[in-house]
């Protein structure tokens, strides 16, 4: 029995990693005053970019690297692609004062198309590609990394000058501007960094956790991460607990499916229903950064 | 007048920029942009059957576009159209299961719309009572609908002769093609009529006014004696009726299958196409209908693009994402 509980906890932990990474990224982004509802799309892009780019580097460009490095490279290039998308979203949101929600929707639509298109265009298969063994990563170290990152992010936001600057841009950009902070730049960098974490979450899904790329691999996890941002009240430390709760329901869904308790369609609903219930239960208490989602314009 | 010209110009710039970047992406991934675009944009216009097929594709997009557009007026980001389309289609299939004669048609509309409205009530009430952001709740409802409908279509409502789809709408309850040999049924005029009706509703009815003023500023709305909660609820319900109808029509008015595919292929993505239509049309119901015609042409054209130039069909969604990205740059937030 204890062994079973231990196993379920481990499964929940591994399922929580993508949600945690994406949540941490979005907390950083929103703390600086930018909202990115394109997290889901960035996650999808990361899930494709990681395995696709290492496949290209190794099999088509003939790049030589020590074997164990490939999975790491896959995650790093995915994060780089995520940062690039974040730069675009951050530039539109901060410098151009564009509509952040619409830009986020655009990222989601673009990614849904690009991943389906990319799998077809690169591998010539429709919507589903197995990850080769040489590119697979062990999920456990990534889980450890994500929790350590949560601690680091908490320290950054609450205990350093840089964190105070980021939070000031999200709470009161006018005041931040008046003391000489470049609000636009802070928002741009925070958005790019946050987006790179969402893409890393996606690469974790394809390279480490599920060992496959599909056109629906993120399956709403990006939006669950958005729910977790609210659930954790924009606090990276609480995000760990929140991600574990959401991850638990994800793991539970697969467990019940394996046990054959109910049809798999029913068990697959569990994470979404749980998210709805959790969000309905806690949202009243949450306090978002005051200027989140609002463009800042110098008078 | 100047504002209208300006927004037409802005939209044209967004389209041109998106197609230019799309062409570069196509070229970089080894496809021929010239052949692809010519198959995508000109083939549907060059043939009457293809053009009518494009119009048939546009009908559900008009409806889901209205869902999102009405939401926008109320200040909502209602992306639940997708799931509500599934529920509408489910209602139509259930009606065919219950009635094996002409009565299946009115029953399909009633059941489909009722299910879609029920589905939208969850995010609506969560938003009103608990302040839950509708972006998150509607996406969750979409996924629950996805699995629920897949389960029911592969069990209770499965077609024993063709297990890849649901039972078919009874012969007498089907909307037949208006032009022989095409997919164009009554669904198309109905969808465009819905756009006109929605325009009249939001522009000239008192409830449309209440929705708009609540969306612009809930505090001002309260000062005028308008209850923003009720306006929100109404916007959700109107949107759900449109999306539900889109789902129903995809089943009862879509030759030759007159059924719901088990993998939901004939309803999948319609909610998201509607978002694109609503944004291209800048939330104006008539402009949304016009945008849906354009998206219908893209949809029909993408089939020809895949056949003639080998470029994957999914390219359509990439171009939609790019168009919206450029629209986002232009849509400056109100100060």
């Amino acid at each position: 029995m204890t062994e079973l509980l231990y196993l379920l906890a481990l499964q929940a932990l591994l399922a929580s990693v993508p949600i945690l990474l994406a949540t941490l990224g979005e907390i950083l982004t929103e703390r600086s005053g930018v909202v990115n509802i394109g997290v889901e799309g960035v996650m999808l892009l990361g899930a494709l970019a990681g395995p696709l780019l290492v496949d290209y580097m190794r099999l088509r460009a003939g790049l030589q690297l020590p074997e164990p490095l490939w999975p790491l490279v896959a995650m790093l290039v995915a994060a780089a692609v995520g940062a690039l998308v974040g730069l675009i979203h951050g530039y539109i949101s901060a410098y151009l004062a564009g509509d952040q929600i619409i830009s986020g929707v655009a990222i989601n639509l673009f990614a849904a198309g690009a991943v389906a298109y990319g799998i077809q265009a690169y591998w010539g298969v429709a919507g589903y590609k197995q990850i080769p063994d040489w590119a697979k990563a062990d999920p456990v170290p990534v889980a450890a990394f994500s929790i350590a990152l949560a601690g680091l992010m908490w320290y950054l936001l609450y205990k350093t000058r840089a964190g105070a600057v980021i939070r000031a841009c999200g709470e009161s950009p006018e005041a931040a501007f008046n003391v000489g902070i470049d609000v636009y730049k802070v928002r741009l960098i925070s958005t790019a960094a946050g987006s790179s974490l969402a893409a890393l979450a996606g690469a974790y899904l394809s390279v480490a956790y599920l060992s496959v790329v599909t056109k629906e691999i993120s399956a709403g996890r990006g939006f669950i991460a958005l729910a977790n941002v609210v659930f954790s009240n924009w606090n990276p430390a609480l995000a760990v607990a929140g991600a574990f709760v959401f991850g638990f329901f994800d793991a539970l869904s697969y467990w019940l499916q394996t046990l054959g308790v109910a049809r798999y369609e029913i068990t697959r609903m569990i994470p979404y229903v749980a998210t709805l219930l959790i969000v309905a239960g806690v949202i009243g208490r949450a306090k978002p950064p005051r200027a989140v989602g609002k463009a800042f314009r110098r008078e | 007048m100047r504002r209208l010209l300006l927004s037409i110009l802005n939209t044209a710039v967004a389209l041109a920029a998106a197609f230019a970047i799309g062409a570069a992406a196509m070229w970089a991934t080894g496809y021929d942009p010239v052949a692809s675009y010519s198959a995508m944009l000109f083939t549907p216009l060059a043939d009457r059957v293809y053009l009518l097929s494009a119009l048939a594709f546009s009908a559900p997009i008009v409806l889901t576009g209205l869902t999102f557009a009405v939401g926008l007026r109320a200040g909502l980001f209602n992306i639940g159209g997708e799931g509500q389309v599934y529920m509408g289609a489910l209602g139509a299939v259930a009606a065919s299961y219950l009635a094996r004669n002409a009565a299946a048609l009115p029953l399909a509309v009633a059941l489909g719309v009722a299910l879609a409205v029920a589905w939208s009530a969850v995010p609506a009430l969560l938003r009103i009572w608990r302040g839950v952001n509708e972006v998150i709740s509607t996406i969750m409802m979409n996924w629950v609908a996805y699995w629920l409908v897949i389960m029911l279509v592969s069990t209770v409502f499965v077609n024993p002769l063709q297990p890849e789809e649901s039972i078919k709408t009874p012969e007498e309850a089907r909307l037949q093609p208006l032009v022989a040999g095409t997919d164009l049924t009554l669904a198309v005029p109905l969808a465009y009529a819905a756009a006109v009706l929605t325009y009249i509703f939001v522009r000239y009815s008192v409830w449309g006014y209440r929705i708009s003023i609540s969306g612009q500023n809930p505090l001002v709305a309260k000062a005028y004696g308008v209850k923003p909660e009720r306006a929100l609820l109404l916007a959700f319900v109107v949107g759900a009726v449109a999306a539900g109808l889109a789902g129903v029509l995809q089943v009862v008015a879509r030759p030759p299958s007159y059924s719901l595919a088990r993998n939901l292929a004939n309803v999948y993505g319609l909610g998201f196409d509607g978002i694109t239509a609503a944004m291209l049309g800048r939330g104006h119901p008539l402009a949304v209908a016009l945008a849906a015609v354009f998206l219908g042409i893209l949809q029909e054209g993408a089939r020809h693009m895949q056949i003639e130039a080998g470029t994957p069909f999914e390219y359509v969604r990439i171009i939609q994402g790019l168009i919206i990205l450029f629209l986002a740059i232009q849509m400056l937030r109100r100060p």
Side-chain angles (χ1 to χ4, degrees):
Chain A
M1 190 63 203
T2 23
E3 201 176 328
L4 209 68
L5 281 178
Y6 168 75
L7 218 70
L8 186 56
L10 183 68
Q11 296 284 342
L13 178 71
L14 296 184
S16 76
V17 174
I19 297 167
L20 179 56
L21 286 170
T23 306
L24 292 175
E26 184 62 13
I27 287 177
L28 182 66
T29 305
E30 293 196 13
R31 279 290 184 186
S32 81
V34 175
V35 65
N36 181 6
I37 68 160
V39 179
E40 175 88 6
V42 178
M43 206 187 255
L44 259 177
L45 287 172
L48 174 70
L52 190 150
L53 290 173
V54 290
D55 184 293
Y56 183 83
M57 288 179 200
R58 179 173 171 153
L59 302 179
R60 301 206 186 174
L63 190 70
Q64 306 274 334
L65 273 183
E67 195 80 1
L69 278 183
W70 283 111
L72 188 66
V73 174
M75 292 202 232
L76 288 177
V77 293
V81 168
L84 196 67
V85 178
L87 281 177
I88 296 172
H89 181 68
Y91 190 75
I92 290 174
S93 306
Y95 287 90
L96 302 178
D99 191 308
Q100 304 179 8
I101 300 284
I102 296 180
S103 170
V105 168
I107 292 170
N108 285 332
L109 279 178
F110 173 84
V115 170
Y117 177 93
I119 294 174
Q120 176 81 43
Y122 189 77
W123 284 295
V125 294
Y128 183 97
K129 175 69 188 168
Q130 209 78 34
I131 304 291
D133 278 335
W134 57 266
K136 279 184 195 163
D138 182 356
V140 176
V142 191
F145 167 77
S146 69
I147 293 172
L149 188 69
L152 262 174
M153 183 97 68
W154 180 86
Y155 186 82
L156 168 83
L157 280 177
Y158 294 108
K159 298 289 165 195
T160 67
R161 202 191 108 78
V165 166
I166 292 170
R167 286 187 291 129
C169 291
E171 291 293 339
S172 175
E174 295 80 15
F177 179 74
N178 286 340
V179 296
I181 293 169
D182 187 342
V183 176
Y184 304 108
K185 202 162 132 195
V186 171
R187 287 186 168 183
L188 180 70
I189 294 171
S190 305
T191 308
S195 178
S196 78
L197 288 180
L200 185 64
Y204 170 85
L205 281 177
S206 61
V207 172
Y209 187 54
L210 301 171
S211 302
V212 64
V213 195
T214 71
K215 55 182 179 174
E216 282 157 2
I217 189 168
S218 50
R221 287 182 180 88
F223 289 99
I224 292 179
L226 286 176
N228 190 31
V229 169
V230 181
F231 180 75
S232 60
N233 209 1
W234 288 263
N235 181 336
L238 290 178
V240 179
F244 190 80
V245 173
F246 290 105
F248 169 80
F249 288 107
D250 203 2
L252 185 71
S253 141
Y254 283 98
W255 262 57
L256 294 178
Q257 187 179 326
T258 320
L259 292 176
V261 180
R263 286 189 63 93
Y264 78 95
E265 293 99 338
I266 293 193
T267 66
R268 294 300 279 278
M269 291 177 202
I270 291 175
Y272 312 116
V273 175
T275 302
L276 273 174
L277 292 176
I278 292 170
V279 168
V282 296
I283 214 129
R285 291 189 288 110
K287 259 215 331 253
R290 229 174 306 151
V292 73
K294 297 192 188 90
F296 171 66
R297 283 200 201 83
R298 249 173 308 199
E299 295 306 315
Chain B
M1 198 60 203
R2 250 197 84 201
R3 262 188 62 197
L4 180 68
L5 277 177
L6 197 69
S7 77
I8 290 175
L9 188 70
N10 276 339
T11 310
V13 168
L15 287 173
F19 275 98
I21 293 188
M26 241 187 231
W27 179 77
T29 48
Y31 298 103
D32 179 356
V34 178
S36 301
Y37 279 162
S38 109
M40 188 181 197
L41 299 170
F42 298 124
T43 307
L45 298 178
D47 185 294
R48 199 179 62 104
V49 175
Y50 296 155
L51 189 62
L52 294 181
S53 166
L55 282 180
F57 273 122
S58 76
I61 304 177
V62 174
L63 291 167
T64 52
L66 293 175
T67 302
F68 191 76
V70 172
L72 269 188
R73 288 194 92 89
L76 285 173
F77 235 76
N78 178 5
I79 41 185
E82 182 76 15
Q84 290 154 22
V85 172
Y86 303 163
M87 296 311 285
L90 179 70
V93 170
S96 311
Y97 179 80
L98 297 170
R100 296 304 301 164
N101 50 38
L105 183 58
L107 191 61
V109 174
L111 271 180
V113 168
L115 281 175
V117 169
W119 218 247
S120 82
V122 176
L125 296 177
L126 283 178
R127 162 81 194 243
I128 291 165
W129 288 338
R130 308 289 308 167
V132 174
N133 182 306
E134 70 279 1
V135 171
I136 294 169
S137 58
T138 49
I139 285 276
M140 295 301 129
M141 291 304 286
N142 287 351
W143 280 99
V144 177
Y146 179 79
W147 289 113
L148 179 71
V149 176
I150 284 190
M151 179 174 75
L152 292 175
V153 170
S154 28
T155 53
V156 197
F157 300 136
V158 72
N159 181 347
L161 302 174
Q162 279 161 291
E164 282 317 300
E165 55 184 58
S166 75
I167 46 171
K168 288 178 186 295
T169 309
E171 207 81 51
E172 311 88 305
R174 295 176 186 175
L175 296 181
Q176 301 292 344
L178 296 176
V179 182
T182 70
D183 303 335
L184 188 101
T185 62
L186 199 60
V188 176
L190 269 178
Y192 287 92
V196 175
L197 268 178
T198 308
Y199 175 66
I200 295 170
F201 170 76
V202 298
R203 191 66 195 274
Y204 298 108
S205 79
V206 63
W207 273 107
Y209 171 74
R210 286 173 183 160
I211 287 177
S212 304
I213 195 167
S214 304
Q216 274 159 17
N217 192 333
L219 291 178
V220 172
K222 271 189 188 158
Y224 277 95
V226 175
K227 294 198 174 76
E229 301 82 18
R230 284 201 191 165
L232 274 185
L233 189 62
L234 184 70
F236 263 112
V237 170
V238 171
V241 171
L245 204 57
V248 171
L249 291 174
Q250 281 301 93
V251 174
V252 303
R254 198 71 183 139
S257 74
Y258 290 106
S259 65
L260 178 58
R262 196 166 158 176
N263 60 2
L264 309 189
N266 55 338
V267 287
Y268 189 82
L270 288 175
F272 296 111
D273 292 336
I275 297 176
T276 309
M279 286 189 178
L280 260 178
R282 296 179 187 243
H284 187 298
L286 300 179
V288 170
L290 200 64
V293 175
F294 171 69
L295 293 177
I297 292 173
L298 282 193
Q299 199 87 344
E300 171 68 18
R303 302 200 311 187
H304 300 290
M305 177 181 75
Q306 188 155 14
I307 297 164
E308 291 173 28
T311 313
F313 186 85
E314 281 82 5
Y315 179 77
V316 175
R317 197 133 284 151
I318 296 186
I319 203 86
Q320 288 183 13
L322 289 172
I323 293 169
I324 295 183
L325 200 64
F326 285 105
L327 290 177
I329 297 174
Q330 299 164 354
M331 279 189 210
L332 304 186
R333 289 227 159 214
R334 274 180 241 109

